[in-house]
Amino acid sequence: MTFVRPRLAFFALLVCQVACNAIFGLDDLEVVGGGAGGAGGAGVVAGAGGVGGEGGSLVGPCTSATCNEHGTCDDSTGNAECSCDQGWGGASCAACAAGYTGADCKACAPGYQDADDDGSCLAACTDASCSSNGVCDESTGVATCTCYIEFSGDDCATPCPAGMAGSACEFRIVYGLDLPTNADWNVLADVPYDIDETAAVGSFDRVAYRLLLDDEEVWVEMDAFTNDAAMLGVPTDWVWDIAITNALVVSVSPNQSNVAVPTAGNLELWSACYSEGPNGVFDDDDTIGGGTDCYGSMQVHVAMNTVLALNHWSQAGTLDVGIGEAPSGNPDWTFSGNAGSFLEKRLEVYVRE
């Protein structure tokens, strides 16, 4: 009996070699493994990844088709290596890289974004991006978390110890106050603080104010301007109409941007009435009036812009509260009478010892 299977197998190999070369544009296909091998084909993909597979490797010199016209080939090491164009991946740049999709691999796959339109698809914000302890922003093209001030870490997953806050959890709370809708505070004892740690505070070099309004909040810290922690709260019996230095702002509010570079500013903290300054509106340059217990201002301004405001607390009436500059009316929220529009209103004061 005559066996013809070896000849048929060899003929089938030749047919496969010709067909594969026609499909993939290779000069010669190397057969990796058992059986009759070719002569070591140029730019051939070997290994588990197959042609264009992520797990493959290229054998032999570069050809015009090695990188499928989606990359640059380099065979200076003796074997072809593809440096794929943006959006393309795999050993021979035959498939979209992670994060990219579409026939030309230029669109961003689900879960990725190119908010800055530079062609790079990077991870997008998701509900889990900041561990539910901050706000994710991808407007710069890179998803970045701004943590609520009592959490830290790139993903806001690390809580500060109780009573501590700040980017490194280095500030301790001095005052905590749930703000009412209406107030009439004329002396320190009138202010209904639920936290008062002034007696336990040692020396400190930085002061921070935090204002929370429903799901928005702002934190502004600065160099210490007094060594008396008791005089950092609502200024019922004292005046701070002074400049501040090295202020930083962390904001979880669309109405106020972060300020990451130490910047000068000023405080307008008093219980008196006040009038518009030279700008003709109530802003960072108001003119304090005579007397006390007239209207009340507790405002922090950075770079001539209002960062937080708590007004109208020393004259029976509705509080003015705001983060950033008011979108209409007076920039420092004077006469806004808007406290009733918020369910949660809280002021906290911190120091770094």
Side-chain angles (χ1 to χ4, degrees):
M1 180 179 295
T2 302
F3 292 93
V4 295
R5 289 181 181 175
R7 292 182 179 179
L8 290 173
F10 180 70
F11 177 73
L13 175 62
L14 292 177
V15 171
C16 176
Q17 182 175 351
V18 172
C20 289
N21 287 351
I23 294 172
F24 297 107
L26 303 177
D27 296 332
D28 200 359
L29 179 68
E30 177 181 1
V31 177
V32 180
V44 175
V45 178
V51 177
E54 293 288 346
S57 60
L58 295 171
V59 179
C62 293
T63 73
S64 60
T66 302
C67 302
N68 289 287
E69 300 183 355
H70 301 310
T72 302
C73 189
D74 178 15
D75 55 13
S76 60
T77 62
N79 288 320
E81 295 182 1
C82 288
S83 178
C84 298
D85 296 337
Q86 184 167 275
W88 293 91
S92 60
C93 308
C96 292
Y100 297 84
T101 189
D104 56 3
C105 295
K106 291 185 177 180
C108 293
Y112 293 81
Q113 52 79 30
D114 179 23
D116 60 351
D117 295 322
D118 69 348
S120 299
C121 293
L122 303 177
C125 290
T126 68
D127 291 341
S129 294
C130 304
S131 309
S132 299
N133 300 321
V135 175
C136 186
D137 177 32
E138 59 190 35
S139 61
T140 63
V142 178
T144 304
C145 289
T146 297
C147 300
Y148 299 133
I149 208 64
E150 68 267 45
F151 294 89
S152 63
D154 291 342
D155 59 355
C156 308
T158 304
C160 293
M164 304 297 290
S167 60
C169 300
E170 74 274 36
F171 284 78
R172 65 171 293 177
I173 194 165
V174 176
Y175 284 123
L177 172 63
D178 285 331
L179 298 172
T181 298
N182 299 278
D184 187 11
W185 304 327
N186 298 315
V187 295
L188 180 60
D190 290 340
V191 185
Y193 294 114
D194 54 78
I195 296 175
D196 183 348
E197 294 290 320
T198 54
V201 172
S203 62
F204 52 91
D205 66 345
R206 298 278 284 173
V207 174
Y209 291 95
R210 181 190 188 192
L211 180 63
L212 300 93
L213 300 176
D214 291 341
D215 59 351
E216 298 181 15
E217 66 173 82
V218 68
W219 164 282
V220 54
E221 62 178 81
M222 65 210 70
D223 292 335
F225 51 89
T226 179
N227 58 9
D228 186 350
M231 297 181 70
L232 297 175
V234 178
T236 53
D237 299 306
W238 56 89
V239 174
W240 295 119
D241 186 14
I242 58 173
I244 57 173
T245 55
N246 296 316
L248 301 173
V249 178
V250 178
S251 174
V252 185
S253 169
N255 200 48
Q256 173 64 50
S257 300
N258 293 334
V259 177
V261 176
T263 303
N266 67 292
L267 301 179
E268 293 184 329
L269 278 64
W270 55 65
S271 65
C273 282
Y274 52 98
S275 59
E276 302 98 322
N279 299 319
V281 292
F282 292 94
D283 55 12
D284 68 302
D285 194 13
D286 297 333
T287 300
I288 186 171
T292 59
D293 307 331
C294 176
Y295 193 88
S297 168
M298 189 171 186
Q299 301 172 12
V300 182
H301 310 280
V302 176
M304 301 176 66
N305 295 308
T306 303
V307 173
L308 67 81
L310 167 62
N311 311 319
H312 202 200
W313 43 264
S314 66
Q315 183 186 60
T318 303
L319 298 178
D320 314 325
V321 291
I323 295 173
E325 298 212 320
S328 61
N330 295 302
D332 67 2
W333 302 87
T334 298
F335 302 140
S336 64
N338 62 337
S341 62
F342 299 101
L343 294 177
E344 180 183 4
K345 306 176 288 295
R346 183 167 178 82
L347 175 71
E348 294 177 346
V349 184
Y350 292 79
V351 296
R352 186 178 72 182
E353 294 179 305

XYZ file of all heavy atoms in Angstrom, residues 144-146 167 206 218-222 245-251 256-264 302-303 307:
210
model
N -8.775 63.497 37.699
C -8.108 63.891 38.932
C -9.143 64.091 40.028
O -10.193 64.687 39.798
C -7.327 65.200 38.730
O -6.407 65.033 37.642
C -6.551 65.562 39.982
N -8.838 63.601 41.215
C -9.746 63.731 42.351
C -9.408 64.955 43.185
O -8.239 65.215 43.477
C -9.664 62.497 43.246
S -10.388 61.000 42.534
N -10.433 65.705 43.556
C -10.324 66.693 44.620
C -11.051 66.104 45.823
O -12.271 65.938 45.798
C -10.955 68.035 44.229
O -10.249 68.593 43.106
C -10.902 69.018 45.386
N -4.729 68.266 53.429
C -4.191 67.366 52.415
C -3.326 66.274 53.016
O -3.205 65.177 52.447
C -3.387 68.168 51.392
O -2.307 68.848 52.019
N -0.624 77.797 60.932
C -1.554 77.921 59.804
C -2.977 77.871 60.336
O -3.272 77.223 61.353
C -1.371 76.804 58.771
C -0.011 76.752 58.102
C 0.099 77.724 56.951
N -0.596 77.264 55.748
C -0.749 78.020 54.665
N -0.287 79.267 54.633
N -1.379 77.563 53.593
N -15.806 74.406 50.479
C -14.539 75.055 50.163
C -13.692 75.079 51.419
O -14.198 75.211 52.545
C -14.762 76.475 49.604
C -15.313 77.410 50.662
C -13.473 77.035 48.999
N -12.401 74.948 51.213
C -11.404 75.010 52.287
C -10.381 76.046 51.869
O -9.853 76.007 50.760
C -10.759 73.645 52.440
C -9.467 73.549 53.204
C -8.215 73.870 52.766
C -9.303 73.033 54.527
N -7.278 73.604 53.731
C -7.917 73.088 54.827
C -10.173 72.539 55.487
C -7.390 72.659 56.044
C -9.655 72.103 56.699
C -8.284 72.162 56.973
N -10.107 77.004 52.735
C -9.079 78.005 52.457
C -8.160 78.083 53.670
O -8.612 78.297 54.795
C -9.684 79.374 52.094
C -10.656 79.876 53.133
C -8.579 80.407 51.846
N -6.881 77.883 53.452
C -5.903 77.937 54.537
C -4.903 79.050 54.266
O -4.690 79.461 53.119
C -5.192 76.603 54.704
C -4.390 76.168 53.483
C -3.666 74.848 53.707
O -4.323 73.794 53.571
O -2.452 74.890 54.011
N -4.263 79.512 55.343
C -3.377 80.682 55.246
C -2.412 80.659 56.421
O -2.590 79.889 57.376
C -4.224 81.966 55.282
C -4.942 82.172 56.602
S -6.509 83.071 56.488
C -7.557 81.866 55.661
N -1.442 85.875 54.008
C -0.362 85.417 53.134
C -0.414 83.914 52.923
O -0.931 83.172 53.752
C 1.007 85.793 53.732
O 1.097 85.276 55.075
C 1.191 87.307 53.765
N 0.124 83.509 51.771
C 0.278 82.086 51.433
C -1.031 81.307 51.540
O -1.080 80.204 52.095
C 1.352 81.439 52.310
C 2.722 82.038 52.072
O 3.123 82.255 50.921
N 3.452 82.339 53.137
N -2.076 81.888 50.985
C -3.383 81.228 51.003
C -3.457 80.153 49.924
O -2.967 80.325 48.802
C -4.495 82.241 50.797
N -4.081 79.031 50.281
C -4.360 77.931 49.355
C -5.845 77.606 49.446
O -6.439 77.690 50.525
C -3.536 76.684 49.708
C -2.014 76.831 49.709
C -1.362 75.570 50.251
C -1.503 77.131 48.304
N -6.439 77.201 48.323
C -7.870 76.902 48.293
C -8.088 75.524 47.687
O -7.532 75.196 46.633
C -8.643 77.948 47.462
C -10.131 77.595 47.413
C -8.447 79.346 48.036
N -8.889 74.708 48.373
C -9.360 73.427 47.845
C -10.877 73.513 47.779
O -11.536 73.702 48.805
C -8.922 72.244 48.721
C -9.472 70.934 48.151
C -7.406 72.181 48.821
N -11.414 73.378 46.579
C -12.844 73.603 46.386
C -13.528 72.397 45.778
O -13.013 71.774 44.852
C -13.055 74.822 45.475
O -14.421 74.977 45.157
N -16.098 77.936 42.553
C -14.802 78.352 43.093
C -13.727 77.394 42.616
O -13.838 76.185 42.779
C -14.836 78.366 44.629
C -13.493 78.626 45.284
C -12.934 80.002 44.961
O -13.629 81.000 45.096
N -11.671 80.067 44.543
N -12.669 77.918 42.043
C -11.553 77.106 41.575
C -10.568 76.842 42.711
O -10.498 77.584 43.693
C -10.819 77.807 40.425
O -11.679 78.037 39.332
N -9.787 75.773 42.560
C -8.687 75.533 43.476
C -7.615 76.607 43.281
O -7.420 77.108 42.172
C -8.070 74.154 43.232
C -9.008 73.018 43.586
O -9.891 73.169 44.423
N -8.822 71.876 42.953
N -6.923 76.910 44.335
C -5.749 77.786 44.267
C -4.596 76.990 44.869
O -4.518 76.817 46.089
C -5.962 79.107 45.033
C -4.692 79.956 44.994
C -7.139 79.881 44.456
N -3.724 76.464 44.001
C -2.668 75.555 44.439
C -1.341 76.246 44.689
O -0.426 75.645 45.250
C -2.486 74.439 43.402
N -1.225 77.491 44.253
C 0.007 78.263 44.451
C -0.241 79.269 45.577
O -1.239 80.001 45.538
C 0.407 78.997 43.160
C 1.630 79.867 43.398
C 0.665 77.991 42.039
N 0.622 79.312 46.602
C 0.406 80.264 47.699
C 0.168 81.680 47.193
O 0.952 82.213 46.409
C 1.706 80.157 48.502
C 2.196 78.765 48.240
C 1.834 78.490 46.807
N -0.942 82.268 47.626
C -1.409 83.543 47.079
C -1.827 84.472 48.211
O -2.318 84.018 49.251
C -2.605 83.287 46.130
O -2.205 82.371 45.111
C -3.081 84.580 45.484
N -1.652 85.774 47.999
C -2.064 86.763 49.000
C -3.575 86.966 48.957
O -4.237 86.677 47.952
C -1.349 88.089 48.750
N -9.215 85.800 48.337
C -7.898 85.424 47.825
C -7.743 86.018 46.441
O -8.648 85.871 45.598
C -7.718 83.891 47.782
C -6.377 83.517 47.143
C -7.811 83.308 49.193
N -6.632 86.701 46.217
C -6.369 87.348 44.926
C -7.537 88.259 44.538
O -7.961 88.282 43.379
C -6.103 86.317 43.841
N -13.793 83.987 48.453
C -13.713 82.523 48.498
C -14.843 81.964 49.353
O -15.481 80.978 48.985
C -12.346 82.069 49.033
C -12.316 80.565 49.246
C -11.235 82.483 48.070
